[in-house]
């Protein structure tokens, strides 16, 4: 198999895992005000994501780094074409990070309120922006031999916005399920109810997205030529339905697992349709960035494949180990006992 | 101003801001890990207190190091797309490896360390902070190998309209990069040592928690002295690499205009780029530059005039950056030595003036580090990759000056705010001193959950 294809798969996996993992942190951040009644409950939510959020965000850094190493031309053009959007993403991620870490440092209401706002903005904006970015990647960017003909505003086209809303809803449901799994009593009940309410909206937008994709993108071409691939969106839909089924049965952990699969499969649905493009051109197919015309040399890809084969399993192993250490729920009593964390 | 100048300004702004936090992380992670190890080994709660106190300051600083680091990865593509396209085949690899090998390790185990006090054994907890220290140091290795390649490109060929990697081991074993790594890493250790010594000195002057801060001071002084010596020794190796592979930068560092054998070192120099000479120079120590550069007193040093005007770096910042870096390095070596002597004699509190000097010396290694980067990066100009690609050819073609003005404004506001908050938090917790009540920590983990 060609190394470009291996790296296309890895590229997709890195993004999918990033959305699956940071998705629940972003979702928790967006729901953080709505779900909590007091400072202690807020601290519970922060402690629920605290041990893992940083490690989850690194999947984004790695996805970016892998794009740079494996597809430098795509990295260069994507980041420079989407300059302003990425700048906003960067600023909001910075704000999210410091808000999570600094909020608890000083026990003062206005201090905490300021960081609470940072958590909300720093969670909602990345969710929306990443969705808008991927919507535009799916439908293609207006680029040709002379460069890029879009702007920050042109990214906010209906399909881009629809994908943005889809991501926000995916992460909202994902986050509320995570909160339910990680907490007890009122917090868990409330977040389960929230997930249930939001699920209907998620379903509606997901269906709209799948339909709109037929008109706004060429993603379905690959599915027409290889119908077997339809398994990917079908699993996504099945997993989405699974969320509701497990919620009704009162099994939040299984619902959360279904939500993980939903997010991964939604990303894969788009990426399978993209192949072999990384970013199609919406105005001149000859200037689409593909895994073949934007990749590194096979020597570099070989080196990077060895690095990935050695280190990704190690990373996954210690991440699972750490998740297991923090598998128990976080309660208000825990927070009162140990105020020191963050 | 064009996008090249603006993008350079923005890169300088964001990387220098990032470099406020990274050096302290590099050194303080090791010091904190050492303190915790001592606690695990001896069971002495003083070391636990030290771990908590210095660890808290470490975490405040670490948070900003992480978030400002994301900017660096984004910027190569955002502002330097032509660069990324041209060298991505070889430059992207160390960045991706850094993320896979170091960032995951660091971020996962810092989470375990912060939240794991009651969840894992004492030993495992100490291992977690050692892994964080290892990861931050590994991260420095990969990014400095990447920078080393920009300084002295190796293991590549120009093919398909770009630089393509043909020898990965040349990249890893690039002496330029490895020496730079050693020099930069140990300079980070000096930052951490002076940070700990300075804050300890503040409390010792106030006779606050004397035992705690004398012990902290001693650990930092020994670490700082060793690091100050290493920084100088490895810095000398680095300078030899510069002299050999970047003669224009080296000539600018010493403001040498004429090519000469057995070049002497002028203690005092006023450089005049317009007339291509030094308007004032002296007193001169004969042959010293040749000796330092090539370890041979009669070696030939290329002067700036040997290079076309448009291939010379700006002389003044390179020269001043180098001189003041050396000056501060020398002062810090002496201060660290005095710190070790006074600590060993147990007479720190008898030298209040020294303690005051140590408090106000906290910024010195920070400034020296920034000056070092100025020498390294300004001195490389006009090249972004030495001898291969000029900075003016590296900027993104699709960005407008308006976009970069806006992003510079955004960074200035955001980073300005974060800088103020960082200093506020560090000062607050540094002044407060260690907490006496450690009972919450020592309680067994609750099992009911």
């Amino acid at each position: 198999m060609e190394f470009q294809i291996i790296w296309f798969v890895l590229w997709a996996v890195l993004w999918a895992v990033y959305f699956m993992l940071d998705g629940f942190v972003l979702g928790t951040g967006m729901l953080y005000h709505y779900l909590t009644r007091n400072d202690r409950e807020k601290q519970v939510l922060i402690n629920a994501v605290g041990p893992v959020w940083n490690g989850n965000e690194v999947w984004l850094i790695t996805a970016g780094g892998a794009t740079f190493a494996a597809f430098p031309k795509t990295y260069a053009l994507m980041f420079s074409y989407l300059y302003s959007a990425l700048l906003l993403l960067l600023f909001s991620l910075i704000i999210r990070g410091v808000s999570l870490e600094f909020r608890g440092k000083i026990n003062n209401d206005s201090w905490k309120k300021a960081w609470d706002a940072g958590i909300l903005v720093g969670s909602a904006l990345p969710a929306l922006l990443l969705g808008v970015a991927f919507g535009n990647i799916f439908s293609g960017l207006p680029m040709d031999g002379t460069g890029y003909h879009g702007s920050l505003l042109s990214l906010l086209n209906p399909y881009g916005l629809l994908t943005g809303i889809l991501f926000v809803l995916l992460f909202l449901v994902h986050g509320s399920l995570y909160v339910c799994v990680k907490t007890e009593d009122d917090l868990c009940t409330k977040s389960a109810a929230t997930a249930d309410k939001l699920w209907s909206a998620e379903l509606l937008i997901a269906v709209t997205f799948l339909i709109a994709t037929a008109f706004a993108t060429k993603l379905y071409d690959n599915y027409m030529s290889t119908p077997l691939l339809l398994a990917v969106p079908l699993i996504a839909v099945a997993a989405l339905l699974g969320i509701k089924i497990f919620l009704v049965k009162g099994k939040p952990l299984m619902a959360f697992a279904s939500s993980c699969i939903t997010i991964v499969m939604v990303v894969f649905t788009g990426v399978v349709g993209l192949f072999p493009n990384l970013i199609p051109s919406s105005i001149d197919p000859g200037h689409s960035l593909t895994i073949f015309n934007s990749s590194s040399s096979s020597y570099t890809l070989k080196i990077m494949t060895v690095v990935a084969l050695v280190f990704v399993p190690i990373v996954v192993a210690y991440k699972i180990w750490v998740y297991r250490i923090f598998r128990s729920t976080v309660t208000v009593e825990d927070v009162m006992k140990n105020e020191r964390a963050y | 101003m064009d996008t090249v100048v603006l993008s350079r300004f923005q890169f300088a702004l964001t990387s220098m801001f990032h470099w406020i936090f990274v050096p302290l992380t590099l050194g303080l992670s090791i010091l904190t890990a050492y303190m915790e190890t001592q606690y695990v080994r001896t069971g002495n709660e003083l070391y636990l207190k030290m771990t908590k106190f210095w660890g808290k300051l470490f975490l405040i600083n670490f948070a900003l190091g992480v978030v400002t680091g994301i900017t660096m990865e984004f910027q190569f593509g955002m502002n330097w797309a032509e660069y990324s396209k041209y060298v991505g085949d070889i430059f992207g690899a160390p960045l991706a490896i850094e993320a896979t090998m170091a960032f995951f390790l660091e971020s996962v185990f810092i989470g375990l360390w912060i939240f794991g006090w009651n969840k894992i054994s004492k030993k495992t907890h100490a291992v977690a902070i050692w892994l964080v220290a290892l990861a931050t140091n590994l991260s420095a290795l990969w990014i400095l190998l990447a920078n080393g390649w920009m300084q002295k490109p190796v293991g590549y060929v120009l093919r398909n309209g770009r630089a393509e990697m043909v020898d990965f081991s040349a990249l890893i074993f690039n002496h330029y990069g490895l020496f730079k790594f050693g020099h930069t890493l140990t300079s980070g250790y000096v930052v951490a040592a002076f940070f700990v010594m300075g804050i300890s000195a503040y409390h010792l002057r106030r006779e606050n928690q004397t035992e705690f801060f004398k012990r902290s001071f001693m650990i930092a002084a020994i670490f700082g002295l060793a690091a100050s010596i290493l920084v100088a020794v490895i810095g000398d190796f680095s300078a030899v690499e510069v002299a050999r592979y970047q003669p224009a930068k080296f000539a600018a560092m010493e403001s040498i205009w004429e090519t000469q054998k057995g070049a002497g070192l002028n203690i005092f120099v006023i450089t005049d780029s317009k007339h291509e000479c030094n308007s004032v120079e002296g007193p001169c120590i004969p042959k010293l530059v040749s000796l330092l550069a090539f370890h041979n007193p009669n070696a030939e040093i290329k002067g700036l005039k040997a290079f076309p005007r448009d291939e010379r770096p700006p002389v003044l910042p390179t020269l001043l950056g180098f001189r003041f870096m050396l000056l501060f390095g020398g002062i810090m070596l002496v201060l660290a030595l005095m710190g070790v002597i006074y600590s060993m004699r147990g007479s720190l509190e008898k030298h209040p003036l020294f303690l005051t000097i140590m408090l106000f010396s906290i910024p010195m290694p920070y400034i020296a580090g920034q000056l070092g980067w100025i020498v390294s990066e300004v001195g490389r100009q006009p090249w972004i990759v030495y001898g291969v690609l000029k900075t003016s050819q590296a900027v993104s073609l699709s960005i407008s000056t308006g976009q970069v003005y806006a992003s510079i404004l955004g960074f200035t506001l955001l980073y300005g705010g974060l800088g103020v908050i960082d200093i506020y938090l560090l000062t607050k917790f540094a002044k407060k001193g260690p907490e006496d009540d450690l009972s919450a920590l020592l309680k067994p983990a609750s099992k009911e959950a």
Side-chain angles (χ1 to χ4, degrees):
Chain A
M1 190 155 65
E2 287 182 73
F3 285 110
Q4 278 101 337
I5 296 174
I6 295 178
W7 274 92
F8 182 74
V9 174
L10 270 169
W11 183 78
V13 168
L14 288 173
W15 280 111
V17 173
Y18 167 67
F19 289 130
M20 176 182 94
L21 292 178
D22 204 15
F24 70 71
V25 183
L26 294 170
T28 305
M30 287 189 275
L31 288 163
Y32 163 87
H33 295 73
Y34 174 74
L35 289 178
T36 55
R37 290 164 305 186
N38 53 44
D39 186 51
R40 282 197 184 127
E41 287 190 344
K42 285 193 170 66
Q43 193 62 48
V44 167
L45 291 200
I46 289 182
N47 285 17
V49 297
V52 296
W53 79 266
N54 198 341
N56 292 353
E57 193 182 74
V58 172
W59 289 90
L60 172 71
I61 316 289
T62 308
T67 315
F68 196 175
F71 307 109
K73 194 174 169 191
T74 297
Y75 164 79
L77 296 184
M78 180 167 87
F79 277 69
S80 56
Y81 289 174
L82 305 182
Y83 190 93
S84 303
L86 281 166
L87 195 73
L88 284 176
L89 174 65
L90 178 64
F91 285 175
S92 46
L93 286 175
I94 290 175
I95 289 169
R96 194 252 317 235
V98 286
S99 300
L100 283 172
E101 304 226 358
F102 285 173
R103 180 186 186 274
K105 290 273 184 273
I106 290 175
N107 203 0
N108 166 300
D109 279 347
S110 44
W111 171 271
K112 286 184 171 175
K113 276 217 178 83
W115 295 119
D116 285 347
I119 290 175
L120 181 65
V121 175
S123 301
L125 210 53
L128 182 72
L129 286 167
L130 286 162
V132 169
F134 268 76
N136 279 280
I137 288 172
F138 293 157
S139 59
L141 293 177
M143 56 187 183
D144 60 21
T146 62
Y148 179 59
H149 304 288
S151 67
L152 185 58
L153 281 178
S154 75
L155 294 175
L156 301 174
N157 54 64
Y159 184 73
L161 283 172
L162 177 68
T163 319
I165 294 165
L166 174 69
F167 273 47
V168 169
L169 280 165
L170 282 170
F171 297 165
L172 280 172
V173 171
H174 201 43
S176 48
L177 292 170
Y178 179 77
V179 172
C180 180
V181 170
K182 288 294 291 182
T183 61
E184 292 174 4
D185 307 327
D186 291 358
L187 261 176
C188 176
T189 317
K190 189 165 180 189
S191 54
T194 309
D196 193 56
K197 263 185 268 175
L198 287 167
W199 182 83
S200 312
E202 187 187 15
L203 180 70
L204 178 73
I205 295 294
V207 171
T208 317
F209 170 79
L210 287 174
I211 296 167
T213 298
F215 299 99
T217 75
K218 297 194 174 71
L219 295 187
Y220 289 135
D221 291 1
N222 282 345
Y223 293 95
M224 298 296 177
S225 51
T226 319
L228 195 64
L229 292 173
L230 284 168
V232 174
L234 283 177
I235 294 173
V237 173
L240 182 56
L241 297 174
I243 296 175
K244 177 76 175 178
I245 293 167
F246 288 119
L247 264 178
V248 173
K249 283 190 178 173
K251 290 183 174 167
L253 185 62
M254 293 301 286
F256 176 69
S258 299
S259 180
C260 288
I261 298 170
T262 308
I263 290 176
V264 170
M265 285 300 154
V266 165
V267 176
F268 282 176
T269 299
V271 172
V272 165
L274 277 178
F275 184 86
N277 290 323
L278 288 163
I279 306 180
S281 165
S282 58
I283 49 177
D284 181 358
H287 281 94
S288 292
L289 293 165
T290 74
I291 60 169
F292 301 109
N293 71 14
S294 79
S295 82
S296 282
S297 61
S298 57
Y299 178 81
T300 298
L301 292 177
K302 211 186 313 178
I303 300 268
M304 293 310 300
T305 307
V306 173
V307 170
L309 287 178
V310 172
F311 283 98
V312 173
I314 297 176
V315 169
V316 171
Y318 64 64
K319 280 200 84 143
I320 291 174
W321 180 66
V322 168
Y323 268 89
R324 278 185 54 80
I325 290 170
F326 293 107
R327 67 185 176 279
S328 61
T329 53
V330 182
T331 62
V332 175
E333 292 78 54
D334 291 339
V335 170
M336 287 166 64
K337 242 185 293 178
N338 185 10
E339 293 270 17
R340 275 153 218 279
Y342 281 171
Chain B
M1 280 202 263
D2 59 11
T3 50
V4 179
V5 177
L6 290 170
S7 293
R8 282 183 64 188
F9 179 79
Q10 180 174 302
F11 202 89
L13 177 82
T14 52
S15 53
M16 288 174 97
F17 190 72
H18 182 52
W19 199 250
I20 295 173
F21 310 105
V22 176
L24 185 61
T25 298
L26 290 172
L28 200 50
S29 59
I30 293 180
L31 287 174
T32 310
Y34 171 77
M35 289 162 184
E36 189 168 0
T37 309
Q38 287 299 87
Y39 166 60
V40 173
R41 272 188 43 210
T42 65
N44 182 349
E45 280 188 19
L46 185 68
Y47 284 112
L48 175 62
K49 241 170 147 180
M50 283 165 66
T51 309
K52 291 301 285 183
F53 174 71
W54 298 109
K56 183 158 206 161
L57 300 177
F58 169 73
L59 288 176
I60 293 168
N61 173 74
F62 183 82
L64 287 173
V66 168
V67 294
T68 54
I70 313 173
T71 306
M72 305 320 296
E73 192 200 57
F74 275 45
Q75 266 190 123
F76 290 116
M78 286 168 64
N79 293 72
W80 304 99
E82 292 305 302
Y83 167 79
S84 300
K85 271 200 285 186
Y86 196 73
V87 304
D89 193 73
I90 185 158
F91 185 83
L95 261 61
I97 297 173
E98 183 188 14
T100 334
M101 207 184 267
F103 291 164
F104 276 119
L105 196 62
E106 156 184 283
S107 59
V108 169
F109 284 93
I110 196 76
L112 182 61
W113 192 72
I114 298 170
F115 287 89
W117 283 99
N118 294 326
K119 294 199 184 278
I120 47 178
S121 75
K122 278 190 208 169
K123 243 186 200 158
T124 316
H125 196 264
V127 170
I129 188 75
W130 275 114
L131 287 173
V132 172
L134 171 73
T136 58
N137 285 264
L138 266 179
S139 159
L141 171 68
W142 287 103
I143 196 65
L144 287 161
L145 284 176
N147 181 271
W149 186 81
M150 297 167 79
Q151 307 285 350
K152 185 198 165 196
V154 289
Y156 73 102
V157 292
L158 295 179
R159 191 165 55 196
N160 303 321
R162 63 179 180 178
E164 292 195 348
M165 175 154 61
V166 289
D167 186 358
F168 182 58
S169 63
L171 176 85
I172 303 179
F173 298 111
N174 185 359
H175 284 184
Y176 197 115
L178 290 174
F179 286 139
K180 189 157 184 182
F181 165 65
H183 184 55
T184 313
L185 195 66
T186 45
S187 80
Y189 297 170
V190 178
V191 168
F194 274 74
F195 182 85
V196 172
M197 284 192 282
I199 292 168
S200 301
Y202 170 86
H203 288 283
L204 287 172
R205 280 225 56 180
R206 276 159 191 73
E207 291 173 12
N208 178 25
Q209 307 241 25
T210 315
E211 199 197 343
F212 179 99
F213 284 110
K214 278 174 88 168
R215 188 84 53 101
S216 298
F217 193 107
M218 173 137 57
I219 294 169
I222 294 169
F223 185 66
L225 179 62
S228 304
I229 295 169
L230 283 172
V231 127
V233 172
I234 306 171
D236 175 61
F237 290 141
S238 270
V240 172
E241 293 285 305
V242 174
R244 192 174 301 164
Y245 300 107
Q246 297 181 313
K249 182 195 277 184
F250 190 82
M253 279 156 63
E254 297 291 352
S255 189
I256 292 175
W257 293 94
E258 307 290 344
T259 302
Q260 51 193 288
K261 281 190 176 146
L265 190 132
N266 288 302
I267 309 257
F268 186 77
V269 176
I270 294 177
T271 189
D272 182 349
S273 295
K274 205 170 144 198
H275 299 101
E276 302 185 298
C277 66
N278 295 331
S279 46
V280 180
E281 60 178 33
C284 181
I285 307 172
K287 298 184 193 268
L288 187 58
V289 170
S290 288
L291 185 68
L292 290 173
F294 293 102
H295 296 169
N296 167 7
N298 295 314
E300 182 183 272
I301 303 289
K302 267 196 175 177
L304 284 159
K305 283 188 182 173
F307 305 91
R309 266 180 185 269
D310 63 352
E311 288 186 9
R312 294 178 199 162
V315 181
L316 190 64
T318 314
L319 167 75
L320 288 181
F322 187 56
R323 288 287 160 105
F324 279 97
M325 179 181 78
L326 291 181
L327 175 67
F328 290 145
I331 296 173
M332 289 186 291
L333 191 64
V334 173
L335 289 176
L337 181 64
M338 289 170 75
V340 170
I341 293 170
Y342 294 151
S343 280
M344 294 285 190
R345 287 186 185 158
S347 65
L348 276 171
E349 61 271 54
K350 288 181 201 139
H351 298 93
L353 179 65
F354 175 71
L355 293 176
T356 309
I357 292 173
M358 288 314 286
L359 172 62
F360 289 101
S361 297
I362 292 177
M364 204 189 305
Y366 282 101
I367 297 168
Q370 301 283 2
L371 291 172
W373 277 111
I374 289 174
V375 174
S376 166
E377 303 300 291
V378 175
R380 194 190 56 233
Q381 300 306 321
W383 303 99
I384 191 164
V385 180
Y386 197 78
V388 175
L389 185 70
K390 288 205 168 153
T391 311
S392 55
Q393 298 165 314
V395 82
S396 303
L397 300 176
S398 61
I399 56 173
S400 66
T401 52
Q403 275 178 313
V404 190
Y405 271 119
S407 57
I408 289 173
L409 180 69
F411 277 118
T412 307
L413 293 175
L414 181 64
Y415 280 11
L418 293 179
V420 170
I421 292 160
D422 178 63
I423 290 172
Y424 169 71
L425 284 175
L426 284 179
T427 316
K428 180 184 160 80
F429 288 109
K431 274 188 176 169
K432 198 169 148 206
E435 289 180 37
D436 283 322
D437 178 28
L438 295 172
S439 51
L441 290 176
L442 300 170
K443 256 187 248 164
S446 55
K447 291 275 180 265
E448 74 270 22

